Amino acid sequence: MEIQSQYELSLTKKFGKVIWSKFLKGIKTYELIQPNDKIAVCISGGKDSMLMAMCMKRLVKYSEIPFEVVFLVMDPGYHEINRQKIIDNAALLDIPIKVFDTGIYDAVAKVDDHPCYLCARMRRGYLYKTAQELGCNKIALGHHFDDVIETILMGMLYGSQVQTMMPKIHSENYPGMQLIRPLYLVREADIIHWKQYHDLQFIQCACRFTENCTMCDNGGGGSKRQEIKALLKQLRAVNPAIDMNIFRSVENVNLRTIISYHDGKEYHHFLERFREGTHADDLS
């Protein structure tokens, strides 16, 4: 019988309700895993992707659905201390990682306009390409519930649009590939609690150009996402249910009360229904 580590056991014991059950709920609710999937679990070295890797490592052993996983670490040009930290943590958590190198940081360093956007796009592309070469049909990223809520607010307040981070999407450039987010319903505070409970130290921001936040838990400086995090903290003090209310707002969209919307291609305006006499007063 395999001896389970304290890190894995705590997922179903101490953190069973707040992490493991929500992880399983996300997998089931959004049908993230199908029989015979081969999933590249993408590890950046932070707390989120490391926890996701632990959850997927356990699930693949005990799931009734047969599937495979590959634990993939892309090195975009980390400094050696960060690369070694990822390797050491993977060994500590008994995660058999595959590391591959890219020159993304060197390429981005030469770009003046929107280097972070370009970096993110390139990283995603390399992950898809490498995963596909390994025979995978999906990549798994470590975005969590708080990321979803923050994305909704950022889209509204800074992007002038209502959108959310989806639990799974099809790749546009790599046919047959999908992206899934297994931690979709897991809250960041519970991930931090799991990390602190085991006194684990993960890299926070390994970007070569923001080294000041490499080993901190509150890095990110004055980014828009950090502003949204601060706003949500204030809103939670007034209404503890604010996160779930925001989340449910994108599950419960009434198109009859939306001025205009689109599906990525076609745009529709409420005047279309109004002129047809089918736009009745829904709020009376």
Side-chain angles (χ1 to χ4, degrees):
M1 178 180 294
E2 179 183 356
I3 299 176
Q4 299 178 39
S5 70
Q6 58 175 320
Y7 312 108
E8 183 177 338
L9 278 174
S10 69
L11 292 176
T12 56
K13 300 298 183 181
K14 182 175 179 61
F15 298 95
K17 291 184 178 180
V18 296
I19 291 181
W20 186 249
S21 65
K22 291 185 177 181
F23 165 74
L24 293 179
K25 183 179 179 180
I27 296 289
K28 182 178 180 180
T29 300
Y30 303 113
E31 301 178 354
L32 301 186
I33 298 176
Q34 280 76 40
N36 303 315
D37 276 346
K38 185 172 182 180
I39 303 170
V41 180
C42 302
I43 299 173
S44 66
K47 66 185 189 313
D48 308 325
S49 62
M50 282 294 191
L51 174 68
M52 175 185 64
M54 288 295 296
C55 289
M56 293 293 283
K57 175 173 173 281
R58 181 175 180 84
L59 183 64
V60 78
K61 290 187 295 185
Y62 299 107
S63 174
E64 295 180 356
I65 300 175
F67 72 100
E68 299 179 55
V69 293
V70 176
F71 298 99
L72 202 58
V73 175
M74 179 192 64
D75 184 344
Y78 293 144
H79 281 299
E80 184 57 35
I81 187 173
N82 291 321
R83 181 186 174 105
Q84 192 59 48
K85 187 67 177 176
I86 296 173
I87 293 173
D88 292 344
N89 279 330
L92 177 66
L93 299 175
D94 194 25
I95 300 172
I97 59 175
K98 292 180 180 293
V99 183
F100 70 99
D101 299 313
T102 70
I104 292 177
Y105 283 172
D106 289 334
V108 172
K110 304 172 185 177
V111 177
D112 294 326
D113 295 330
H114 308 295
C116 295
Y117 173 78
L118 178 61
C119 180
R121 295 282 295 182
M122 292 180 68
R123 288 162 71 100
R124 185 75 56 85
Y126 270 109
L127 289 173
Y128 272 128
K129 181 176 182 293
T130 305
Q132 195 170 56
E133 290 173 349
L134 292 172
C136 298
N137 64 310
K138 294 178 180 177
I139 65 172
L141 300 186
H143 297 116
H144 48 65
F145 185 78
D146 294 58
D147 290 322
V148 179
I149 303 307
E150 292 161 14
T151 297
I152 296 170
L153 280 188
M154 286 179 67
M156 294 177 65
L157 302 182
Y158 297 117
S160 304
Q161 57 187 334
V162 177
Q163 64 175 15
T164 189
M165 179 182 285
M166 301 299 287
K168 63 180 180 180
I169 57 175
H170 289 286
S171 171
E172 294 182 1
N173 300 316
Y174 294 87
M177 294 291 293
Q178 295 180 25
L179 181 157
I180 63 173
R181 295 183 167 102
L183 299 184
Y184 198 76
L185 299 179
V186 178
R187 293 178 181 266
E188 183 178 28
D190 296 316
I191 299 175
I192 293 173
H193 188 191
W194 174 79
K195 184 200 75 160
Q196 293 176 338
Y197 178 76
H198 291 295
D199 194 27
L200 295 167
Q201 300 297 322
F202 300 118
I203 63 174
Q204 168 65 16
C205 175
C207 175
R208 190 189 300 168
F209 311 111
T210 55
E211 292 175 315
N212 61 316
C213 67
T214 297
M215 295 298 292
C216 70
D217 286 329
N218 300 307
S223 70
K224 296 302 182 186
R225 188 167 290 273
Q226 291 302 314
E227 292 179 19
I228 292 296
K229 283 181 179 291
L231 174 59
L232 281 167
K233 185 177 181 179
Q234 296 177 25
L235 293 174
R236 290 186 193 112
V238 178
N239 180 6
I242 195 70
D243 296 76
M244 188 55 67
N245 288 344
I246 293 172
F247 182 73
R248 287 175 176 160
S249 73
V250 295
E251 287 187 321
N252 191 32
V253 177
N254 185 349
L255 292 181
R256 292 175 63 84
T257 63
I258 297 296
I259 294 175
S260 64
Y261 67 94
H262 66 87
D263 61 3
K265 296 180 180 179
E266 294 185 358
Y267 277 79
H268 299 276
H269 199 277
F270 88 96
L271 284 176
E272 295 172 9
R273 288 202 193 98
F274 191 87
R275 289 164 183 157
E276 296 171 355
T278 60
H279 199 281
D281 184 359
D282 295 317
L283 304 179
S284 59

